[in-house]
Amino acid sequence: MPTRARRTQRRNQVLSRERILDTAIGLLDSGGEGALTVRAMTDRLATGSGAIYYHVGNRDELLDAATESVITAALSTRSAGARATPEDEIRAVALALFDAIAEHHWLATRLTLQIIRNPVGPVTVGIFERLGRQVGALGVPRPRWFDAASTLVHYILGAISQNARVEGDTSGIDPDADREEFFDQTSRAWRDLDAESYPFMHAIVGQIREHDDREQFLTGIAVVLDGLARLR
């Protein structure tokens, strides 16, 4: 028979906030928001719903906490270079957020909702603080800090959310279609456009099938950074 101390230790492990969040993130990763139910959580954790509510609150609060957990980890990323520049740090954070949403497809929607609904929450404040410090380090004048940081945040969130949708998390796109199939269909549709009316679309039709999402994302970061440099 296990001792009372061992039973207490096991119970505390099961009911820890960290364990609950890890379980929630696992459910979200495997099946999206629809998979995150109280019943699924209690089955996975072998506990009652009251314990979950005690540690993280209701389902919306659990989603917010799971989002905060993933984003906080991404924001802790630092550039690998010994003499990292502000540009290096911005790229490191931007790619960490990009990779987090690529890994956790449900995160794009939840992150957007956090930014909109909770501007004083840890996710919104964390993103602006982490990137905003680098905007200041770039030499952008203080009166332009908010506009500059907002432009950077808007580009990052918009670009990574679009990539997340391409990978199948948005209604209107076949969730079973893979990336290559999606871009193949798109390039064929663009090629069928009238060349005289849409010369630009015909000029880039081959590029859509060959482009790398991560490299394209970094190109956008470079464009934004170049623009911020002009504010000095």
Side-chain angles (χ1 to χ4, degrees):
M1 294 287 291
T3 65
R4 178 177 300 177
R6 289 179 180 174
R7 288 196 299 269
T8 301
Q9 182 180 15
R10 186 182 303 112
R11 186 182 304 115
N12 289 338
Q13 180 185 19
V14 169
L15 301 181
S16 71
R17 179 181 174 87
E18 181 180 358
R19 184 175 174 85
I20 291 172
L21 290 178
D22 286 344
T23 301
I25 291 170
L27 287 170
L28 288 164
D29 288 346
S30 63
E33 289 193 26
L36 186 64
T37 64
V38 174
R39 179 166 184 173
M41 289 289 294
T42 56
D43 287 347
R44 289 281 185 95
L45 295 169
T47 189
S49 59
I52 297 173
Y53 293 139
Y54 173 79
H55 283 282
V56 294
N58 59 33
R59 184 175 181 274
D60 283 339
E61 291 170 321
L62 177 56
L63 281 165
D64 287 345
T67 302
E68 180 184 345
S69 177
V70 176
I71 295 301
T72 298
L75 292 177
S76 67
T77 300
R78 293 293 188 273
S79 175
R83 297 181 178 180
T85 65
E87 291 91 343
D88 293 333
E89 293 294 344
I90 287 172
R91 280 189 288 267
V93 173
L95 280 177
L97 292 171
F98 182 97
D99 291 341
I101 289 185
E103 181 179 356
H104 308 284
H105 297 284
W106 54 272
L107 188 59
T109 299
R110 299 309 308 183
L111 180 54
T112 301
L113 289 175
Q114 285 262 13
I115 297 292
I116 295 173
R117 295 178 179 176
N118 194 8
V120 298
V123 170
T124 305
V125 171
I127 290 174
F128 270 88
E129 182 66 27
R130 182 74 174 83
L131 292 170
R133 290 185 187 184
Q134 304 308 319
V135 167
L138 283 172
V140 174
R142 183 182 289 265
R144 307 299 297 275
W145 279 6
F146 176 69
D147 289 344
S150 295
T151 298
L152 188 56
V153 170
H154 291 163
Y155 168 74
I156 291 173
L157 297 185
I160 58 183
S161 295
Q162 182 178 3
N163 282 319
R165 288 197 293 270
V166 167
E167 292 175 0
D169 277 342
T170 295
S171 58
I173 296 177
D174 182 1
D176 296 322
D178 62 20
R179 180 183 184 280
E180 184 176 352
E181 181 182 353
F182 171 80
F183 285 122
D184 185 58
Q185 292 174 353
T186 302
S187 64
R188 287 201 302 269
W190 286 4
R191 192 174 288 110
D192 290 338
L193 294 170
D194 180 69
E196 186 174 339
S197 299
Y198 300 97
F200 176 78
M201 302 303 288
H202 272 262
I204 66 170
V205 69
Q207 298 173 20
I208 187 175
R209 297 179 62 181
E210 301 169 359
H211 83 279
D212 179 271
D213 290 338
R214 224 164 174 263
E215 289 301 318
Q216 186 183 67
F217 178 68
L218 282 175
T219 297
I221 292 293
V223 171
V224 175
L225 289 176
D226 183 62
L228 294 184
R230 298 172 187 274
L231 296 177
R232 296 173 185 170

